[in-house]
């Protein structure tokens, strides 16, 4: 199936919404008590409009209009829905926990394709898919907003910080601190490059989204507003900011001309802090244990829900502190670096201090409502005017006409609703109001008529966001609903454990898709991939562009297959090979599965053919493997066989070693083909026995060598960087010799109390032989070091660069990269392990790493001869054997090779920095063999970071590395055509 096939999935992770919406696997179990929940109670009932028609304030009796404060507290901590109706996936799972929809669905929505091996999914009935999970650590996320570069999460924690995540890397970058109370509302003003934040301490702050400097600190009139629950912006006349508070007042400040009165300048360094998220490899946030500032309030005591840090903090190992991202290409800077912050030193920032503003009594409507003002929304009118809609705990909605320089006149109100008004959304000419206890009321703004009342949730509707004809609603029960233009519920899922606090919809950073970002009291920010219903084009062509939507989806499917290269997983490996073949085919390659040797896993051969340029095309051979190491599930924070996203990292067994790099290469070729820019042939050989020693690889490749054809260069990506921030290219690896030594006697195991001292024990012979092979000065095999080449001045220069970046000494790097080594892997015996037994046979496994210019055959011969001579000198009656079980030569590429230089330049183009040239102490046996077999030079591009934990629990790969790795491969394939 080619990339132009219109049936192929065009968006990320669509298949992760399977099982289908009506799947019995997520229904209530038969025989269980019937649960009353939102998904079984989504009904629509007409409601007569309640319009007063008054143009002045209508203050009612407190006994009639103010909701019980204790009930409000209960709603804000509403417990999750009954577990019997939900699917509980592991923390960080990219599978949304779905709730069954009502049986009345649009006809096409019950026909989702669920072929687990297909990249094709229908658009109809598609559930939003969780693409990434971010964590703020020991705090709740109460508010959220975003711009093109950052996601801003307002927290309730000890520091009450605003955590700033990069949208490029999805990693926590900075914390903006200074609020003395929980951050209840956030708003980005794109035209001013402002971030506005409001807190329960009664202050509002305005920050620069370019520099993260604090610009303004705003205090409400008389400093008695209490919690600032809501903010809204009217861009006219320099801009007017409206505040809705606990004092039931609406206040405003205008920024035109000289601006508001009662201003005074304060030191920005004293008023706020920009804190770089610390690098921590163990996932512990150093700032988490720091005592925080006391809460500040005015006349009103802030609600207890917003003032107490969550008990128990975040889930362990949530990954709050992760290494800070390096800068991408300098011409495409996606986020602020530490160097940028250095420019904002305290001394410099003191020259540009923040301005403190106190709102005057003339810029306030006292008692605009008779309850806390939880929601504000500015609406643009067809005649160019603006309306401000306010919602309160007094169960009223009021619509005000905004004066261009600030000020309000009441236009109309909708009162006596069924509960407090907590959120708003505007779609076309309709106003949606989310209420306490779960109702959503919809009015026509032109006529004032109430259109519908939607019984959406069983808990307070705290946030709503609009995309096209869909409205996404989030509630205190942790659920999110999608309601279409006909007010039907088309999707419902459990988004957060506890309360879903805030939502926002933003344009996807790297594709034509959209993202729904949600926050919850569970300390997480979640990013969901969604589509605009009105612009859905069922015949649109798949684009592998947009940073690899298909790449991530395919990776999720490949991770789900436990392709462990042992006898117990032969069938899984077979299925994995066929899945990989199908993925390659759908990406546009001519692919096939090659049978390995008897009892060995198959290989996958795929060829992406370049376009006809009228001249012979270069042919690049990429080598990789789909098999993985076993996973000890108990040590993983998430399911190792399910791709999970958390704080800019993808987790899953094989994600970095080697399934992620394999798909990055394939999708790079597919992207170039789609743009008609692939001018070389890319041949991919992916084996299934690498983790088991590449058994049968050579013979299978030779058998199909005619199908592979001529090769000009070889590429592999099967390792990681030397550190966290510096991209690397590998130009050398050590070789290896594995050998088994055994000493045995002619008699069976003996008792050392009976025969000890009267027999020559095999264990002593083995110890003497091993001691003779190596000591503190190195390997004792004669001539072992004779051909080891010394480092050149150029290489010493490379080693110094690496030493400076990694913190490892040049001497250490020389020992592990350029010097041979000898290791004793294990010693075993025929005895039972009882201390009284003299074993009849003792064996030992040894490993020797070799370097340029040691000759493999000479090393093997020298080792065998020397070990045999040492044993013979013992004059022992026992028998000695040495058998080389595996060997592979070292590999060293020429730094002057045009293929190496092209790779180096490609890395620099994408990452914006020259890569470190590194060597490795380990061995990839196929590298030297492929070079020799095809007579083609090899280059090695590591994609992951040093902390990827390739063979360990919680294996991961940074999303930025995977995406940039695809870019590097695209650039490299482009350069090959010109060599």
């Amino acid at each position: 199936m080619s990339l132009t096939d219109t049936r192929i999935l065009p968006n990320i992770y669509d298949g992760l919404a399977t099982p289908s919406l009506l799947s019995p696997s997520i229904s209530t179990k038969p025989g269980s008590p019937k649960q009353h929940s939102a998904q079984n109670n989504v009904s629509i009932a007409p409601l007569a409009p309640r319009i007063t028609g008054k143009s002045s304030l209508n203050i009612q009796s407190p006994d009639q209009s103010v909701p019980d404060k204790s009930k409000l507290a209960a709603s804000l901590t509403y417990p999750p829905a009954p577990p019997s109706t939900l699917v509980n996936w592991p923390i960080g799972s990219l599978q949304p926990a779905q709730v069954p929809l009502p049986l009345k669905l649009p006809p096409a929505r019950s026909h989702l394709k669920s072929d687990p091996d297909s990249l094709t999914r229908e658009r109809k009935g598609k559930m939003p898919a969780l693409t990434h999970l971010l964590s703020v650590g020991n705090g709740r996320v109460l508010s959220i907003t975003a711009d093109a570069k950052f996601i801003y999460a307002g927290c309730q924690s000890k520091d009450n910080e605003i955590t700033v995540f990069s949208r490029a890397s999805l990693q926590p970058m900075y914390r903006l601190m200074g609020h003395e109370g929980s951050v209840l509302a956030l708003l980005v003003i794109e035209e001013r490059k402002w971030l506005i934040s409001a807190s329960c301490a009664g202050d509002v702050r305005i920050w620069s989204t370019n520099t993260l400097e604090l610009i303004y600190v705003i205090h409400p009139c008389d400093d008695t507003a209490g919690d600032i629950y809501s903010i809204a912006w009217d861009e006219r006349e320099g801009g007017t900011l409206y505040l809705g508070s606990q004092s039931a007042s609406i206040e405003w400040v205008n920024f035109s001309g000289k601006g508001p009165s009662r201003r005074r300048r304060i030191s920005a360094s004293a008023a706020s802090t920009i804190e770089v998220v610390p690098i921590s490899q163990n996932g512990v946030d150093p700032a988490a244990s720091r005592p925080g500032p006391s809460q500040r309030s005015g006349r009103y005591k802030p609600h207890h829900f917003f003032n107490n840090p969550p008990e128990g903090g975040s889930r362990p190992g949530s990954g709050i502190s992760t290494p800070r991202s390096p800068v991408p290409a300098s011409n495409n800077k996606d986020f602020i670096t530490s160097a940028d912050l250095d420019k904002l030193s305290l001394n410099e920032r003191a020259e540009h201090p923040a301005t403190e503003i106190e709102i005057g009594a003339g810029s306030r409507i006292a008692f605009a409502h008779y309850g806390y003002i939880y929601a504000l929304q500015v609406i643009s009118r067809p005649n160019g005017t603006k309306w401000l809609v306010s919602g309160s705990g007094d169960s009223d909605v009021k619509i005000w006409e905004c004066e261009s320089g600030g000020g309000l006149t009441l236009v109309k109100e909708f009162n006596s609703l069924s509960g407090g008004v907590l959120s708003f959304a505007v779609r076309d000419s309709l106003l949606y109001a989310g209420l306490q206890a779960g109702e959503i009321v919809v009015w026509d703004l032109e006529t004032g008529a109430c259109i519908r009342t939607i019984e959406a949730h069983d808990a307070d509707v705290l946030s709503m966001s609009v995309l096209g004809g869909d409205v996404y609603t989030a509630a205190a029960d942790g659920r999110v609903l999608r309601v279409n233009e006909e007010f039907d519920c088309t999707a419902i899922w459990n988004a957060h454990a506890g309360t879903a606090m805030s939502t926002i919809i933003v344009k996807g950073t790297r594709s034509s898709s959209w993202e729904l970002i949600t926050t919850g009291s569970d300390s997480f920010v979640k990013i969901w991939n969604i589509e605009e219903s009105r612009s859905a084009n069922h015949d649109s062509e798949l684009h592998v562009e947009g940073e690899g939507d298909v790449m991530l989806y395919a990776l999720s499917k490949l991770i789900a297959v436990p392709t462990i290269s042992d006898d117990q997983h032969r069938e899984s490996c077979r299925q994995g090979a066929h899945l990989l073949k199908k993925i390659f085919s759908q990406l546009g390659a001519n692919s096939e599965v090659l049978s390995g040797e008897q009892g060995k896993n198959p290989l996958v051969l795929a060829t992406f053919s370049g376009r006809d340029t009228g001249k012979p095309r270069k042919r690049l051979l990429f080598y990789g493997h789909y098999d993985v190491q076993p996973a000890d599930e108990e040590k993983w924070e998430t399911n190792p066989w399910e791709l999970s996203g958390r704080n800019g990292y993808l987790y899953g067994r094989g994600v970095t070693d080697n399934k992620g790099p394999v798909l990055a290469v394939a999708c790079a070729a597919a992207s170039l083909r789609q743009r008609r820019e692939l001018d070389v042939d890319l041949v991919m050989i992916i084996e299934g026995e690498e983790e088991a020693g590449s058994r049968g690889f050579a013979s299978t490749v030779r058998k199909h060598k005619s199908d592979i054809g001529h090769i000009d260069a070889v590429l592999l990506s099967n390792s990681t960087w030397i550190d966290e921030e510096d991209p690397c290219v590998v130009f050398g690896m050590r070789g290896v010799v594995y050998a088994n030594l055994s000493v045995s006697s002619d008699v069976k195991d003996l008792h050392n109390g009976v025969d000890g001292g009267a027999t020559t024990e095999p264990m002593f012979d083995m110890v003497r032989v091993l001691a003779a092979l190596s000591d503190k000065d190195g390997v004792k095999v004669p001539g072992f070091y004779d051909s080891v080449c010394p480092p050149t001045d150029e290489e010493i220069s490379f080693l110094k660069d690496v030493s400076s970046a990694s913190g490892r000494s040049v001497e250490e790097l020389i020992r592990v990269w350029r010097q041979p080594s000898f290791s004793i892997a294990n010693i075993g015996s025929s005895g039972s392990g009882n201390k009284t037994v003299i074993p009849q046979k003792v064996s030992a496994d040894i490993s020797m790493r070799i370097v340029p210019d040691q000759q493999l055959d000479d090393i093997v011969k020298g080792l065998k001869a020397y070990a045999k001579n040492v044993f013979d000198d013992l004059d022992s009656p026992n028998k000695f054997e040495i058998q080389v079980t595996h060997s592979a030569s070292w590999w060293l590429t020429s730094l002057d090779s045009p293929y190496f230089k092209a790779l180096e330049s490609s890395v620099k183009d994408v990452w914006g920095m020259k890569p470190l040239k590194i060597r490795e102490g380990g061995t990839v046996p196929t590298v030297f063999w492929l070079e020799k077999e095809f007579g083609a030079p090899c280059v090695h591009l590591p994609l992951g970071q040093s902390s990827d934990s390739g063979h360990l629990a919680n294996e991961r790969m940074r999303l930025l590395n995977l995406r940039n790795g695809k870019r590097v491969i695209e650039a490299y394939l482009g350069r090959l055509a010109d060599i």
Side-chain angles (χ1 to χ4, degrees):
M1 187 178 295
S2 69
L3 283 176
T4 57
D5 193 304
T6 58
R7 294 171 294 164
I8 298 178
L9 167 74
N11 283 303
I12 188 171
Y13 294 135
D14 288 48
L16 295 183
T18 56
S20 59
L21 299 181
L22 298 180
S23 170
S25 64
I26 56 174
S27 303
T28 305
K29 295 180 180 180
S32 61
K34 184 178 180 180
Q35 302 289 344
H36 177 73
S37 56
Q39 74 275 10
N40 294 321
N41 192 29
V42 180
S43 60
I44 300 172
L47 180 67
R50 304 186 184 98
I51 305 173
T52 65
K54 299 178 182 179
S55 59
S56 61
L57 291 176
N58 181 19
I59 305 300
Q60 300 179 356
S61 166
D63 296 336
Q64 298 175 354
S65 58
V66 180
D68 189 331
K69 193 171 183 180
S70 63
K71 292 182 180 179
L72 176 62
S75 71
L76 288 173
T77 56
Y78 196 90
S84 62
T85 63
L86 303 178
V87 177
N88 294 318
W89 298 102
I91 300 170
S93 167
L94 294 183
Q95 295 263 14
Q98 300 174 32
V99 180
L101 286 174
L103 293 179
K104 276 194 172 183
L105 286 175
R109 296 190 182 276
S110 59
H111 301 291
L112 290 180
K113 296 176 67 175
S114 57
D115 180 357
D117 290 348
S118 177
L119 294 183
T120 303
R121 284 292 183 274
E122 294 183 26
R123 290 173 181 263
K124 295 180 180 180
K126 188 184 303 180
M127 290 284 288
L130 179 61
T131 62
H132 218 82
L133 182 146
L134 312 175
S135 172
V136 298
N138 297 324
R140 295 185 176 103
V141 187
L142 305 185
S143 53
I144 195 74
T145 192
D147 56 23
K149 289 184 178 181
F150 296 120
I151 296 172
Y152 307 90
C155 298
Q156 174 218 350
S157 64
K158 291 181 179 179
D159 293 321
N160 298 310
E161 73 275 12
I162 302 169
T163 301
V164 182
F165 295 89
S166 165
R167 291 193 68 192
S169 67
L170 296 179
Q171 291 186 275
M173 302 296 293
Y174 310 106
R175 294 186 181 90
L176 307 183
M177 302 207 282
H179 279 295
E180 295 182 356
S182 307
V183 182
L184 304 183
L186 291 172
L187 182 65
V188 165
I189 309 300
E190 292 283 1
E191 64 271 17
R192 301 295 291 267
K193 303 300 180 185
W194 282 0
L195 168 69
I196 305 177
S197 59
S199 84
C200 71
D203 65 326
V204 175
R205 295 178 178 239
I206 300 180
W207 318 74
S208 166
T209 58
N210 282 333
T211 65
L212 303 182
E213 283 185 288
L214 180 67
I215 304 174
Y216 294 104
V217 177
I218 302 172
H219 296 290
C221 181
D222 298 331
D223 208 21
T224 58
D227 300 6
I228 307 296
Y229 287 114
S230 52
I231 51 180
W233 177 259
D234 178 0
E235 74 278 5
R236 299 172 302 163
E237 293 291 331
T240 301
L241 177 65
Y242 291 92
L243 317 178
S245 69
Q246 187 178 15
S247 67
S249 302
I250 299 177
E251 305 185 25
W252 60 87
V253 57
N254 180 261
F255 295 89
S256 62
K258 294 182 179 180
S261 58
R262 303 183 68 183
R263 313 175 74 166
R264 58 190 176 91
R265 303 175 80 77
I266 61 174
S267 168
S269 60
S272 68
T273 303
I274 301 174
E275 179 181 285
V276 179
V277 174
I279 295 176
S280 172
Q281 297 300 325
N282 58 10
V284 176
D285 180 7
S289 59
R290 197 169 50 236
S294 61
Q295 302 283 358
R296 166 181 176 255
S297 66
R299 179 181 303 168
Y300 297 89
K301 181 180 179 181
H303 199 287
H304 68 82
F305 176 82
F306 299 106
N307 286 334
N308 296 322
E311 296 180 4
S314 63
R315 291 178 173 86
S318 60
I320 172 60
S321 297
T322 50
R324 181 163 42 86
S325 304
V327 184
S330 57
N331 60 354
N332 186 26
K333 199 172 189 180
D334 287 331
F335 41 77
I336 299 174
T337 67
S338 57
D340 296 323
L341 285 181
D342 289 341
K343 299 175 184 178
L344 300 176
S345 66
L346 294 181
N347 291 334
E348 281 191 9
R349 296 177 70 215
E351 297 176 6
H352 305 281
T355 299
E356 193 164 26
I357 299 173
E358 297 179 7
I359 297 178
S363 298
R364 174 179 66 166
I365 295 181
F367 298 105
H369 281 268
Y370 214 34
Y372 303 168
I373 299 177
Y374 292 114
L376 291 177
Q377 175 110 10
V378 169
I379 302 174
S380 298
R381 304 292 295 145
N383 60 3
T385 61
K386 299 281 187 179
W387 279 357
L388 177 71
V389 184
S390 60
S392 168
D394 61 5
S395 304
D396 288 353
V397 171
K398 295 186 178 182
I399 299 180
W400 315 77
E401 183 165 339
C402 302
E403 298 177 15
S404 58
L408 300 173
T409 302
L410 184 64
V411 176
K412 63 181 70 173
E413 61 182 300
F414 311 130
N415 55 19
S416 301
L417 302 177
S418 64
V421 182
L422 305 177
S423 57
F424 287 129
V426 176
R427 181 179 67 79
D428 298 330
S429 62
L430 300 180
L431 172 66
Y432 292 69
L435 309 183
Q436 269 183 297
E439 283 188 353
I440 299 173
V441 184
V442 185
W443 293 277
D444 186 330
L445 287 171
E446 302 305 321
T447 65
C450 182
I451 302 299
R452 296 291 173 91
T453 295
I454 307 172
E455 300 289 342
H457 293 271
D458 282 343
D460 301 351
V461 183
L462 298 180
S463 181
M464 292 190 288
S465 298
V466 176
L467 178 62
D470 292 330
V471 178
Y472 290 81
T473 71
D477 56 9
R479 293 188 178 103
V480 174
L481 277 72
R482 183 177 65 215
V483 180
N484 67 9
E485 292 174 291
E486 289 76 35
F487 309 108
D488 293 326
C489 178
T490 60
I492 177 170
W493 71 99
N494 192 37
H496 290 272
T499 302
M501 297 296 305
S502 183
T503 65
I504 187 174
I505 292 176
V506 292
K507 191 75 174 179
T509 56
R510 293 178 170 85
S511 70
S512 59
S513 65
W514 293 82
E515 294 173 345
L516 170 68
I517 306 177
T518 65
T519 71
S521 58
D522 53 7
S523 304
F524 292 129
V525 176
K526 297 185 179 182
I527 303 175
W528 310 82
N529 194 46
I530 59 176
E531 292 184 357
E532 186 173 5
S533 59
R534 286 183 172 180
S535 60
N537 182 359
H538 299 278
D539 297 323
S540 62
E541 179 179 332
L542 164 68
H543 290 285
V544 186
E545 306 302 328
E547 297 310 319
D549 291 353
V550 170
M551 174 175 67
L552 295 182
Y553 173 71
L555 181 59
S556 72
K557 306 304 287 186
L558 197 57
I559 292 294
V561 184
T563 51
I564 303 171
S565 46
D566 59 20
D567 292 337
Q568 289 75 33
H569 293 84
R570 291 290 174 222
E571 176 58 22
S572 294
C573 288
R574 186 195 68 81
Q575 293 178 11
H578 283 272
L579 171 61
L580 191 58
K581 179 254 183 186
K582 192 169 186 178
I583 290 172
F584 288 158
S585 296
Q586 293 187 66
L587 290 173
N590 181 14
S591 60
E592 58 181 316
V593 175
L594 308 179
S595 297
E597 289 186 351
Q598 183 67 32
K600 304 298 186 294
N601 293 325
L603 290 77
V604 181
L605 173 63
T607 302
F608 290 88
S609 298
R611 62 175 179 163
D612 187 1
T613 59
K615 59 180 182 180
R617 296 188 296 269
K618 294 286 187 181
R619 290 176 62 82
L620 176 70
L621 174 65
F622 174 81
Y623 163 79
H625 64 94
Y626 65 81
D627 64 313
V628 298
Q629 286 285 332
D632 187 350
E633 285 84 351
E634 294 181 356
K635 296 181 180 179
W636 284 70
E637 294 180 18
T638 57
N639 184 351
W641 310 115
E642 183 178 272
L643 188 65
S644 304
R646 188 167 71 252
N647 286 352
Y649 285 85
L650 300 172
Y651 290 80
R653 174 56 88 217
V655 67
T656 190
D657 185 18
N658 188 232
K659 294 179 179 181
V662 166
L663 291 178
V665 172
C667 289
S671 294
L672 291 175
R673 275 174 56 90
Q674 222 170 255
R675 302 198 302 263
R676 295 172 177 82
E677 296 175 2
L678 183 62
D679 295 335
V680 300
D681 292 342
L682 173 66
V683 182
M684 302 184 70
I685 297 179
I686 313 300
E687 69 158 315
E689 293 278 352
E690 195 273 347
E691 301 291 2
S694 296
R695 301 169 298 185
F697 174 78
S699 60
T700 305
V701 170
R702 282 176 175 158
K703 181 180 178 181
H704 296 275
K705 195 171 181 179
S706 60
D707 298 326
I708 297 171
H710 169 73
I711 296 298
D712 294 290
V714 179
L715 169 69
L716 75 152
S717 178
N718 198 24
S719 63
T720 59
W721 297 350
I722 188 68
D723 60 9
E724 298 298 293
E725 298 188 11
D726 298 283
C728 302
V729 287
V730 179
F731 69 94
M733 289 185 288
R734 295 195 292 190
V736 68
V737 175
Y738 295 138
N740 176 264
L741 286 63
S742 66
V743 179
S744 59
S745 68
D746 293 332
V747 297
K748 61 182 181 180
D749 295 346
L750 301 174
H751 191 289
N752 59 27
V754 176
D755 299 295
T759 184
T760 303
E761 299 185 18
M763 184 66 76
F764 280 110
D765 289 347
M766 177 62 74
V767 169
R768 294 184 179 107
V769 171
L770 293 176
L773 289 177
S774 180
D775 61 15
K776 64 181 181 65
D777 296 321
V779 179
K780 294 300 183 182
V781 176
F784 185 76
Y785 294 97
D786 290 353
S787 56
V788 175
C789 63
T792 64
D793 293 341
E794 182 183 31
E795 191 172 356
I796 291 295
S797 175
F798 298 156
L799 290 171
K800 289 180 179 178
D801 291 341
V802 175
S803 175
S804 176
S806 66
R808 301 172 67 177
S809 67
V810 172
E811 293 73 18
E812 180 188 355
L813 295 175
I814 289 176
R815 285 196 299 270
V816 298
W817 288 355
R818 299 202 80 269
Q819 291 296 319
S821 66
F822 174 88
S823 300
I824 302 172
N826 63 72
I827 299 176
S829 69
S830 61
S832 62
N834 191 306
K835 59 186 177 183
T836 65
V837 174
I838 298 173
Q840 177 198 17
K841 184 177 181 179
V842 178
S843 61
D845 291 315
I846 65 171
S847 172
M848 302 177 73
R849 300 287 172 168
I850 62 174
V851 298
D853 287 315
Q854 292 178 306
Q855 297 301 309
L856 181 61
D857 291 342
D858 294 343
I859 295 298
V860 170
K861 291 177 182 178
L863 171 65
K864 287 182 175 180
Y866 181 68
K868 186 68 168 61
N869 290 338
V870 169
F871 180 79
D872 290 344
D873 290 343
L874 298 178
D875 197 23
S876 170
N878 297 321
K879 297 178 181 178
F880 175 78
E881 291 184 1
I882 178 171
Q883 181 180 5
V884 174
T885 57
H886 178 74
S887 64
S889 184
W890 48 266
W891 168 74
L892 189 68
T893 193
S894 169
L895 299 180
D896 295 325
S897 164
Y899 297 101
F900 181 83
K901 289 184 175 294
L903 184 62
E904 190 177 16
S905 299
S906 299
V907 173
K908 184 178 180 181
D909 287 349
V910 172
W911 285 101
M913 63 182 74
K914 193 173 182 180
L916 295 176
K917 299 182 182 70
I918 66 173
R919 289 169 66 166
E920 292 189 350
T923 307
V924 179
T926 50
V927 176
F928 177 79
W929 185 88
L930 286 171
E931 270 196 339
K932 185 177 180 181
E933 186 69 20
F934 289 95
C938 180
V939 291
H940 190 178
L941 174 68
L943 293 189
Q945 297 168 292
S946 61
S947 61
D948 278 359
S949 303
H951 289 182
L952 307 176
N954 300 307
E955 179 181 348
R956 70 181 189 176
M957 187 175 192
R958 190 167 60 169
L959 187 58
L960 180 66
N961 281 54
L962 187 63
R963 286 172 168 165
N964 277 1
K966 175 177 174 283
R967 292 175 177 170
V968 171
I969 298 299
E970 289 182 29
Y972 184 61
L973 293 175
R975 279 188 167 86
L976 288 185
D978 299 325
I979 295 179

